[in-house]
Amino acid sequence: QKEVEQDPGPLSVPEGAIVSLNCTYSNSAFQYFMWYRQYSRKGPELLMYTYSSGNKEDGRFTAQVDKSSKYISLFIRDSQPSDSATYLCAMTSSTGFQKLVFGTGTRLLVSP
Amino acid sequence: DAGVIQSPRHEVTEMGQEVTLRCKPISGHDYLFWYRQTMMQGLELLVYFNNKAVMDDSGMPKDRFSAKMPNASFSTLKIQPSEPRDSAVYFCASSRLVNEQFFGPGTRLTVL
């Protein structure tokens, strides 16, 4: 079983919908949680970064961490066709500070 | 800044041949990472460097893979001999002492 599990999708939504992307993990030592966005044939780019539990908001994006359930989420409000991409969660412990463990990614398709 | 630069962007080779992938990190970044991405396994860390020294290569098949960083602005990942199962997209990423890795555009490797 993988340390980080993520539904591969694809997740298809109409423009303007609220999108919820999720990851579960098994390693309770994970403290830092990130979401990367990857467009087709491009490298991943960092979207959101949170430490420990709680919420963080940046524009249309909200990252949520529930350490008690070992569950993290990324919400996208007012989704746009330009949000169509693969979203990867990533996480690390404080000891392996730079060694990220990635989910396999969820492909999101936002139709106009 | 030009970002992380990788070459070649595409490589097609035959089984048994040597393959060398190249990476130029962002100037001033102390960490350099090599990842492999496949549909089945997602993004896997192969090796990472801190100030040119290997910090962790536990994800790298050492019988055929080798990674070097001869100076702060250049790294190579070599596969010898290559096998069809090595077909994947290889990403290089760099970062400073924060949890934000900047990825290059990747090298798409096909081993026939």
Side-chain angles (χ1 to χ4, degrees):
Chain A
Q1 188 180 359
K2 290 180 178 293
E3 274 189 292
V4 179
E5 298 281 356
Q6 191 175 5
D7 189 323
L11 177 62
S12 296
V13 301
E15 183 175 355
I18 296 174
V19 174
S20 173
L21 303 166
N22 310 295
C23 286
T24 59
Y25 63 95
S26 57
N27 188 345
S28 57
F30 287 147
Q31 297 272 8
Y32 300 84
F33 304 91
M34 284 134 279
W35 285 95
Y36 281 79
R37 178 175 62 195
Q38 185 176 20
Y39 290 114
S40 180
R41 297 188 176 264
K42 301 285 187 184
E45 56 178 337
L46 183 65
L47 258 186
M48 301 282 288
Y49 164 62
T50 54
Y51 170 69
S52 196
S53 287
N55 292 3
K56 185 174 183 178
E57 191 173 318
D58 184 0
R60 296 185 295 112
F61 298 89
T62 300
Q64 197 170 77
V65 176
D66 181 350
K67 289 191 69 182
S68 62
S69 301
K70 296 190 181 69
Y71 189 87
I72 69 170
S73 301
L74 177 70
F75 297 96
I76 307 174
R77 289 185 301 279
D78 187 25
S79 57
Q80 303 295 309
S82 58
D83 295 327
S84 297
T86 297
Y87 291 80
L88 302 104
C89 61
M91 47 199 80
T92 186
S93 65
S94 57
T95 53
F97 189 72
Q98 291 285 354
K99 188 174 176 180
L100 297 181
V101 179
F102 283 84
T104 50
T106 298
R107 188 171 169 219
L108 172 66
L109 303 171
V110 182
S111 54
Chain B
D1 201 318
V4 175
I5 298 172
Q6 290 187 247
S7 65
R9 294 295 309 276
H10 302 272
E11 177 82 28
V12 179
T13 189
E14 293 191 346
M15 183 173 62
Q17 296 298 305
E18 179 179 291
V19 174
T20 299
L21 311 181
R22 297 173 177 79
C23 175
K24 177 180 169 55
I26 294 172
S27 177
H29 282 189
D30 299 315
Y31 289 87
L32 184 138
F33 307 81
W34 283 101
Y35 289 91
R36 174 171 63 186
Q37 187 175 43
T38 61
M39 290 293 291
M40 291 299 296
Q41 298 298 325
L43 204 57
E44 300 174 286
L45 178 67
L46 297 173
V47 59
Y48 82 94
F49 297 83
N50 179 24
N51 290 322
K52 302 181 291 179
V54 173
M55 300 303 292
D56 190 324
D57 62 0
S58 59
M60 193 168 72
K62 296 182 192 56
D63 56 337
R64 299 184 299 107
F65 284 62
S66 61
K68 293 182 180 179
M69 192 164 186
N71 58 61
S73 58
F74 183 68
S75 176
T76 59
L77 180 68
K78 190 172 291 188
I79 309 172
Q80 166 64 21
S82 58
E83 297 181 0
R85 61 180 166 149
D86 300 328
S87 297
V89 182
Y90 290 81
F91 287 103
C92 176
S94 69
S95 71
R96 289 195 208 170
L97 294 175
V98 293
N99 245 346
E100 182 174 355
Q101 296 182 19
F102 293 84
F103 283 76
T107 295
R108 187 170 295 270
L109 174 65
T110 302
V111 183
L112 303 174

